[in-house]
């Protein structure tokens, strides 16, 4: 009885614990499943290499202006400009004999296409089309009407020959019977005979059956592994003459189970060469790029040595540094770094740990001049991914070259802490539906002036209706008036950032009146820091005037004052970034910020001028806005400007250009460029005056005024001359200025730059004295007090306008650096402007004395 009771109790206890036991078993099963689960191996899609099957020695395409002749054995080509007879070459003609270059460098010199691929650790490997495609015969040439397409495969793959890798004895006898006895004997000695019933001691029966299953049914012949390519080619010809076809080859290849795919990466890329009038257009469609996701194509460089100058050639390379610069062939500066500049600067949606020096070109053009001929290469589609690079002879090879290198799959470095010994990179998972293209325009002159004028003609055609001649009869003057800045104050012991007035709306009106009374005309007045907290404004969900500066009526009176004084007032704003903004300002970073490749929010940092590293603890980190939101903020700024009858000034649009890897709606950098261009066009078409900062080439046609244009750039040692290339292209069709003269650090130089480059004048003013900026982050405005600069400004303006005011509706037609310190700029009406940067007087053109550190105008 007791036993039964005990059993009942045990059963009852077990029953009560049954749910827990079942749950434990389920969890255990789940754990075991996870531990033992293996991800299914993702099947890699093999990249099929191209195969060259042509027999012609050359491919020729031509039109009335140009003739392109391609060597089918290497894909190198020449292009003849028919009206001058000048022949340009895609690659140096004697590259293989270069005494300076090593073997790998010689292969680069002979390559019309160079690319690099990368792996997750960031390691880059360079492939060139000569060594990894042409020499392997893994490419194809497809001629068309006025174009030729070259499909490259690049990698270390074996050539494919149409010869049987395995033959049954019956088939071998058949093909040998179609050859004469001498040829049959030659073929037979390169095949090894296997009979499964008569194997030699060294033969591995199991391996043979696995590799050639047909051996169990027939005696077979197997091509010897060490047969050289030239012999394979000879055997291929003999089999072809015997009637052997590709279908026969396919059938015989199926008998061979021994072949295995190579672990070496293979890449496919296509280059299209198209003749358009007197231009050669080179295009690389992104849909032609094939690669394994484990080894993405990182960069690609089309025609890296097109037009390269040799050690005995006379000429120069043009690069887009500042307004422009030249590098003479063989200038001997072999100890200096090569030239490199990112087109449109850094993409802010690509994170970086430090900034030592930012490179920037605001237009995508480079060129080469040799003797009485030259060309410019205009970067078109995909130029936002490009950087221009150039170097001189005597370093790695004997040639002077300039080219564009494109970033294809952008990447981002992960912070993996202590779990890895090397950096880990994530790459862009998918390429956009785009292409890369660049246009070579050939010029029958070796002058950089004519090269620039050719570029100007291209811009006028590309932006027809937007770059019309100006009618200005006086010097354009850009005046920035600073409204408010932010300053931290203690309120009840708590630090609070509040707007600090530097110039009220009424005080700004008074400044405009005083400038007008002093004789200034043709003014473009930019009001900075007028809303949403000041200069470092909060997000522009709504533009709110600042009470410390006055009322909305005062702001309207300011705009009206401008109209009365021949001054166009612009309301300046930041539309691509969010500074010190939170949910109360309508900004939620997880929703509104752009995303890095890692899908992290695009939070940006200031960088130390000492260590160059991020200031991660700074109080002024900020966010890059999602592209659609940035576009909306630009629209809000335009609406505010239209409300007051003012123009719109963009602090960042038209200068900064960034991708957005937002998962739901990704924008490539080129897509953002197109979006910005379309928005600027719509604003211009609406009649609202536009002011931009710096002025990337795509923004220039739509802007009424460009401020802060980089006239001289960074004067790198490898450069030989600074020239106003971009200004020669656009002068008389758009107004532009350099840096603000009174706060740039060297007012005298800035005035001289402006005179040489045909720029208007630029000033930055505030009503408060410089003491107001103490204990703030705005010491850049230290010299901006209007009263302190008024008389000097009027003196600078009066002289400049009297001498140069008539030239701003004129085309700039000439420029020459007479010495290292003296230049001359020529205008269509005969005006000549001499600028002397030196510290002693100079007599120019026989009778024009140019005082030291001054400019002289001859009419």
């Amino acid at each position: 009885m007791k036993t039964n009771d005990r059993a009942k109790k045990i059963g009852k206890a077990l029953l009560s614990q049954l749910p827990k036991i079942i749950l434990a078993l389920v969890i255990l099963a789940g754990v075991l499943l996870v531990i033992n689960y293996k991800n299914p191996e993702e099947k890699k899609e093999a990249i099929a290499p191209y195969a060259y099957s042509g027999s012609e020695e050359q491919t020729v395409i031509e039109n009335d202006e140009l003739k392109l002749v391609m060597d089918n054995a290497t894909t190198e080509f020449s292009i003849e400009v028919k009206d001058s007879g000048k022949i340009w070459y895609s690659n140096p003609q004697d590259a293989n004999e270069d005494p300076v270059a090593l073997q790998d460098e010689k292969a680069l010199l002979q390559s019309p296409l160079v690319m690099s691929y990368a792996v997750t650790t960031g390691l880059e490997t360079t492939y060139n089309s000569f060594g990894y495609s042409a020499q392997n015969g893994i490419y194809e040439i497809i001629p068309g009407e006025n174009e030729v397409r070259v499909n490259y495969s690049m990698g270390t793959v074996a050539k494919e020959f149409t010869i049987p890798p395995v033959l049954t004895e019956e088939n071998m006898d058949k093909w040998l019977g179609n050859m004469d006895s001498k040829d049959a004997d030659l073929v037979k000695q390169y095949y090894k005979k296997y009979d499964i019933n008569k194997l030699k001691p060294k033969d591995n029966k199991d391996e043979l059956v696995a590799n050639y299953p047909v051996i169990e049914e027939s005696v077979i012949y197997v091509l010897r592994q060490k047969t050289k390519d030239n012999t394979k080619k000879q055997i291929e010809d003999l089999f072809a003459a015997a009637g052997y076809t590709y279908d026969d080859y396919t059938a015989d290849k199926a008998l061979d189970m021994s072949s295995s795919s190579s672990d070496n990466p293979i890449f496919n890329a296509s280059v299209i060469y198209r003749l358009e009038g007197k231009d050669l257009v080179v295009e690389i469609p992104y849909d032609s790029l094939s690669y394994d996701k484990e080894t993405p194509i990182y960069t690609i460089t089309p025609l890296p040595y097109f037009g390269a100058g040799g050690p005995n050639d006379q000429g120069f390379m043009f690069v887009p540094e500042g307004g422009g610069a030249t590098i003479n062939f063989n200038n001997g500066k072999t100890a200096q770094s090569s030239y490199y500049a990112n087109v449109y600067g850094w993409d802010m949606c690509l994170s970086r740990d430090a900034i030592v020096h930012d490179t920037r070109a605001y237009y995508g053009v480079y060129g080469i001049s040799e003797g009485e001929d030259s060309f410019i290469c205009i970067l078109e589609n995909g130029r936002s991914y490009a950087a221009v690079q150039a170097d001189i002879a005597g370093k790695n090879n004997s040639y002077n070259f300039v080219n564009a290198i494109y970033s294809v799959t952008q990447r981002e470095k992960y912070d993996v802490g202590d779990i890895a010994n090397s950096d880990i990179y994530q790459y862009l998972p998918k390429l956009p539906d785009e292409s890369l293209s660049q246009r070579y325009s050939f010029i029958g002159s070796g002058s950089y002036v004519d090269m620039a004028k050719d570029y100007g003609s291209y811009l006028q055609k590309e932006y027809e209706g937007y770059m019309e001649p100006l009618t200005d009869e006086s010097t354009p003057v850009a005046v920035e008036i600073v409204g408010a800045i932010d300053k931290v104050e203690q309120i009840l012991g708590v630090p609070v950032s509040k707007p600090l007035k530097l110039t009220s709306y009424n005080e700004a009106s008074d400044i405009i009146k005083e400038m007008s009374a002093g004789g200034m005309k043709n003014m473009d007045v930019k009001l900075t820091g007028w809303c949403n907290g000041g200069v470092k404004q909060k997000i522009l969900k709504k533009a709110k005037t600042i009470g410390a500066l006055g009322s909305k009526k005062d702001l309207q009176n300011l705009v009206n004052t401008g109209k009365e004084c021949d001054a166009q007032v612009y309301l300046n704003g930041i539309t691509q970034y969010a500074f010190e903004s939170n949910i109360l300002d309508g900004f939620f970073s997880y929703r509104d910020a752009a995303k890095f490749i890692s899908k992290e929010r695009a939070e940006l940092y200031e960088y130390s001028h000492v260590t160059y590293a991020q200031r991660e603890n700074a109080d002024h980190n900020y966010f890059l806005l999602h592209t659609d939101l940035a576009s909306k903020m630009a629209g809000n700024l335009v609406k505010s400007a239209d409300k007051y009858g003012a123009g719109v000034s963009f602090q960042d649009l038209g200068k900064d250009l960034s991708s957005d890897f937002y998962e739901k709606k990704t924008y490539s950098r080129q897509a953002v460029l197109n979006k910005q261009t379309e928005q600027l066009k719509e604003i211009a078409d609406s009649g609202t005056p536009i002011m931009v900062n710096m002025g990337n080439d795509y923004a220039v046609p739509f802007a009424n005024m460009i401020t802060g244009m980089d006239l001289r750039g960074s004067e790198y040692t490898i450069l030989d001359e600074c020239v106003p290339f971009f200004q020669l292209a656009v002068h008389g069709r758009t107004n532009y200025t350099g840096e603000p003269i009174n706060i740039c650090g060297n007012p005298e130089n800035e005035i001289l730059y402006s005179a040489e480059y045909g720029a208007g004048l630029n000033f930055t003013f505030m009503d408060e004295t410089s003491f107001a900026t103490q204990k703030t982050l705005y010491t850049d405005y230290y010299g901006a007090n209007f009263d302190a600069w008024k008389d000097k400004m009027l003196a600078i303006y009066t002289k400049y306008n009297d001498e140069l005011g008539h030239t701003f509706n004129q085309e700039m037609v000439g420029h020459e650096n007479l010495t290292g310190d003296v230049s001359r700029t020529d205008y269509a009406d005969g005006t000549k402007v001499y600028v002397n940067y030196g510290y002693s007087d100079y007599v120019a053109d026989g009778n024009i004395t140019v005082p030291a550190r001054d400019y002289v105008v001859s009419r």
Side-chain angles (χ1 to χ4, degrees):
M1 189 72 177
K2 288 182 179 180
T3 303
N4 291 338
D5 289 343
R6 187 179 299 133
K8 287 180 179 179
K9 287 181 180 180
I10 293 171
K12 189 174 182 180
L14 288 172
L15 190 62
S16 66
Q17 296 298 318
L18 187 60
K20 294 181 180 179
I21 294 170
I22 294 173
L23 180 61
L25 290 172
V26 169
I27 293 173
L28 179 61
V31 170
L32 291 172
L33 179 64
V34 170
I35 291 174
N36 291 286
Y37 178 76
K38 292 183 179 179
N39 283 318
E41 289 190 11
E42 187 175 334
K43 186 176 180 180
K44 292 186 178 181
E45 186 174 335
I47 296 173
Y50 297 108
Y52 178 59
S53 58
S55 57
E56 299 294 329
E57 293 182 1
Q58 293 181 336
T59 295
V60 180
I61 57 171
E62 63 180 311
N63 60 16
D64 293 339
E65 306 284 351
L66 302 172
K67 180 180 181 181
L68 185 151
V69 180
M70 179 173 288
D71 180 353
N72 290 354
T74 63
T75 71
E76 296 177 38
F77 64 88
S78 65
I79 188 159
E80 179 185 355
V81 183
K82 291 185 177 180
D83 61 5
S84 68
K86 173 66 176 178
I87 298 177
W88 296 95
Y89 295 96
S90 64
N91 301 84
Q93 291 300 283
D94 52 356
N96 200 41
E97 307 301 323
D98 187 349
V100 176
L102 298 176
Q103 199 59 41
D104 287 348
E105 189 70 25
K106 289 179 180 179
L108 282 172
L109 288 171
Q110 297 174 82
S111 298
L113 183 68
V114 173
M115 54 144 285
S116 72
Y117 73 89
V119 294
T120 55
T121 59
L123 181 67
E124 286 181 58
T125 302
T126 299
Y127 274 9
N128 60 76
S129 61
F130 180 77
Y132 290 88
S133 184
Q135 287 195 318
N136 291 336
I138 47 174
Y139 64 95
E140 61 183 14
I141 299 172
I142 305 175
E145 185 177 356
N146 285 329
E147 72 174 39
V148 58
R149 179 182 182 119
V150 183
N151 297 323
Y152 291 104
S153 293
M154 285 195 269
T156 51
V157 298
K159 289 183 182 179
E160 187 175 46
F161 294 90
T162 309
I163 57 177
V166 181
L167 278 167
T168 63
E169 186 174 36
E170 179 184 358
N171 283 336
M172 175 62 95
D173 292 342
K174 181 181 77 171
W175 296 118
L176 294 181
N178 292 341
M179 305 177 191
D180 62 41
S181 58
K182 183 179 178 182
D183 292 338
D185 289 341
L186 173 67
V187 169
K188 202 168 183 179
Q189 67 178 308
Y190 288 100
Y191 281 85
K192 186 173 182 179
K193 182 178 179 181
Y194 289 102
D195 185 340
I196 197 168
N197 299 313
K198 298 179 182 179
L199 294 178
K200 296 179 181 180
K202 290 184 179 181
D203 294 333
N204 187 321
K205 180 178 179 180
D206 293 337
E207 184 178 334
L208 286 170
V209 171
N211 291 339
Y212 316 109
V214 71
I215 197 174
E216 293 184 301
E217 302 172 7
S218 171
V219 175
I220 63 172
Y221 287 83
V222 177
L223 183 68
R224 296 182 185 274
Q225 290 185 350
K226 294 184 179 181
T227 305
K228 294 182 179 180
D229 284 354
N230 60 337
T231 304
K232 288 180 181 179
K233 177 60 179 169
Q234 187 179 5
I235 294 172
E236 182 181 53
D237 293 340
L238 294 177
F239 268 102
Y244 191 79
T245 67
Y246 193 81
D247 289 338
D248 296 320
Y249 167 69
T250 303
D252 290 335
K253 190 177 180 182
L255 303 178
D256 183 7
M257 300 293 147
S258 66
S259 60
S260 58
S261 62
S262 171
D263 291 332
N264 295 316
I266 304 296
F267 305 89
N268 283 349
S270 297
V271 184
I272 302 169
Y273 302 103
R274 184 180 304 112
L275 303 183
E276 293 185 4
K278 204 173 181 179
D279 296 348
L280 167 67
V281 178
V282 180
E283 180 184 1
I284 300 177
Y286 267 11
D287 62 11
S288 76
L289 302 180
S290 301
Y291 54 86
D292 187 275
K293 69 176 184 178
E294 300 297 325
T295 53
I297 296 176
Y298 185 50
T299 64
I300 198 161
T301 308
L303 300 182
Y305 296 99
F306 186 90
N312 300 315
D313 293 329
Q314 300 292 317
F316 63 81
M317 298 166 284
F318 165 75
V319 294
E321 183 60 34
T326 62
I327 304 172
N328 293 331
F329 287 179
N330 312 303
N331 66 12
K333 300 177 182 179
T334 54
Q336 304 303 321
S337 298
S338 59
Y339 177 80
Y340 185 94
N342 290 303
V343 177
Y344 309 136
W346 186 259
D347 185 337
M348 301 300 283
C349 211
L350 299 175
S351 61
R352 49 184 172 173
D353 296 329
I355 299 178
V356 177
H357 174 65
D358 255 336
T359 66
R360 166 186 282 276
Y362 51 90
Y363 55 103
V365 183
Y366 66 83
I368 286 180
S369 170
E370 184 179 321
E372 297 301 316
D373 294 275
S374 62
F375 70 82
I376 58 171
C377 180
I378 303 169
L379 309 184
E380 296 187 318
N381 296 326
R383 64 185 183 273
S384 59
Y385 311 125
V388 175
Q389 55 186 7
D391 212 348
I392 58 170
K395 293 183 179 180
N396 298 321
N397 56 61
S398 300
Y399 296 93
N400 308 271
F401 66 90
V402 58
N403 60 50
I405 180 171
Y406 295 86
S407 175
V408 177
T409 49
Q410 293 87 357
R411 67 184 183 184
E412 184 176 349
K413 186 168 72 173
Y414 270 103
D415 182 7
V416 292
D418 298 328
I419 66 173
N421 295 324
S422 60
D423 294 330
I424 300 297
Y425 288 84
Q426 181 177 1
Y427 293 83
L428 190 67
K430 183 181 178 182
L431 293 180
D433 184 15
E434 297 173 355
S435 64
L436 307 177
S437 66
Q438 50 193 46
R439 178 180 297 270
Y440 293 81
S441 180
F442 301 99
I443 302 148
S445 164
S447 166
Y448 59 78
V449 173
D450 292 325
M451 295 164 72
K453 302 312 289 185
D454 189 75
Y455 177 53
S457 298
Y458 169 84
L459 290 175
Q460 292 162 34
K461 182 179 178 181
E462 189 74 7
Y463 300 100
E464 187 175 359
Y466 293 94
M467 296 192 70
E468 298 303 313
L470 298 175
T471 58
D472 299 44
E473 295 181 353
S474 60
T475 299
V477 184
V479 178
E480 179 184 27
I481 298 179
V482 185
I485 59 174
D486 57 286
K487 185 175 183 179
V488 176
E489 298 181 1
Q490 298 289 332
I491 300 178
L492 299 177
V494 179
V496 178
S497 179
K498 295 184 64 179
L500 173 66
K501 177 190 80 70
L502 296 184
T503 314
S504 69
Y505 303 137
N506 288 334
E507 289 165 347
S509 295
D510 293 338
I511 289 174
I512 293 174
K513 290 176 183 177
E514 288 191 56
M515 290 189 297
S516 178
M520 291 179 67
K521 302 176 182 179
N522 197 12
M523 292 181 284
D524 291 286
V525 179
K526 173 167 61 176
L527 189 60
T528 299
W530 65 277
C531 72
N532 291 25
V535 170
K536 195 173 286 187
Q537 65 159 64
K538 297 182 179 181
I539 191 171
L540 269 173
K541 284 292 183 77
K542 185 177 181 181
K544 300 177 182 178
T545 55
I546 298 171
L549 303 185
S551 64
K552 293 180 180 179
K553 184 177 179 181
D554 294 332
L555 178 57
Q556 184 65 68
N557 290 336
L558 165 60
V559 175
N560 294 339
T561 298
K563 293 176 180 178
E564 295 167 2
C565 297
D566 192 22
Q568 174 64 60
V569 175
Y570 297 81
L571 300 184
N572 188 63
I574 299 169
T575 62
Q576 297 192 60
Y577 305 101
F579 290 92
E580 299 181 3
S581 303
N582 55 40
I583 197 71
L584 297 177
D585 304 305
F587 175 72
F588 182 49
S589 63
Y590 291 93
R591 176 195 64 197
D592 299 330
K595 299 296 191 296
F596 292 135
I597 294 175
S598 64
K599 306 308 176 187
E600 294 286 331
R601 295 169 297 161
E603 185 174 7
L604 308 177
Y605 300 89
E606 294 179 350
Y607 291 82
S608 169
H609 296 298
V610 178
T611 66
Y612 308 115
Q614 291 178 352
R615 292 175 173 172
E616 295 191 11
N617 296 323
D619 296 327
H620 298 281
N621 299 345
Y622 57 104
F623 290 92
L624 176 69
L625 295 180
H626 176 47
T627 299
D628 285 340
L629 182 59
S631 181
K632 185 177 180 181
M633 297 306 98
N636 289 348
L637 182 60
V638 173
K639 289 177 184 177
S640 296
D642 288 344
K643 175 182 175 182
Y644 291 100
V648 61
S649 171
F650 295 108
Q651 186 69 21
D652 43 21
L653 180 64
K655 176 192 175 194
D656 295 345
L657 184 66
S658 303
S659 310
D660 182 3
F661 303 106
Y662 198 86
E663 190 169 10
K664 293 182 180 178
K665 197 168 186 182
T666 298
Y667 283 92
S668 68
R669 200 181 194 204
Q670 188 66 31
V672 175
L673 183 154
N674 296 337
K675 191 175 182 69
Q676 286 190 9
T677 303
E678 187 59 33
Q679 186 165 28
L680 288 167
K681 180 178 181 296
E682 290 176 1
I683 298 168
D685 289 345
S686 72
T688 301
I690 300 173
M691 178 185 285
V692 296
N693 190 26
M694 178 67 78
N696 291 340
D697 54 9
Y698 60 86
V700 167
F702 311 109
N704 299 76
M705 168 59 79
I706 302 154
T707 62
M709 183 177 280
D710 188 2
L711 301 178
R712 298 278 289 196
S714 298
E715 298 185 30
Y716 302 115
T717 308
I718 197 171
L719 305 178
D720 289 299
E721 292 187 23
C722 294
V723 299
F725 179 95
F726 190 77
Q727 291 69 29
L728 279 158
V730 303
H731 191 277
R733 295 179 181 273
T734 189
N735 285 324
Y736 54 89
T737 75
E739 296 297 324
I741 291 169
N742 58 314
I743 64 170
C744 69
N746 194 331
E748 193 175 43
N749 263 9
E750 195 61 39
I751 294 169
L752 296 179
Y753 295 156
S754 298
E756 180 184 2
Y757 284 71
L761 301 176
N762 189 5
F763 299 92
T764 295
F765 292 127
M766 62 184 183
D767 185 72
E768 295 289 338
T769 66
S770 57
F771 294 105
T773 61
Q774 290 184 347
K775 296 182 179 180
T776 72
L777 298 174
Y778 300 93
T779 54
D780 289 348
Y781 296 135
Y782 190 80
N785 176 253
F786 177 73
D787 290 334
W789 257 87
K790 175 185 172 183
D791 292 340
K792 190 173 183 179
M793 174 202 66
L794 290 175
I796 291 170
Y797 169 79
T798 300
K799 178 187 176 183
Y800 200 89
N801 188 56
D802 288 348
E803 298 281 356
L804 290 165
H806 69 285
T807 64
F808 289 93
N809 59 15
Q810 293 289 314
E811 184 180 351
M812 189 186 291
V813 296
H815 178 273
E816 183 180 356
N817 285 311
L818 304 177
T819 72
D821 292 325
V822 182
S823 69
R824 185 190 66 229
T825 306
D826 304 335
Y827 291 92
D829 66 350
T831 299
K832 300 180 185 297
V833 181
Y834 298 88
V835 178
N836 186 356
Y837 295 96
Y839 290 87
S840 58
D841 295 353
Y842 180 83
V843 178
D845 293 339
N847 59 353
I848 305 293
T849 300
V850 189
R853 307 290 294 165
D854 204 353
Y855 64 91
V856 169
V857 178
S858 173
R859 302 179 66 176

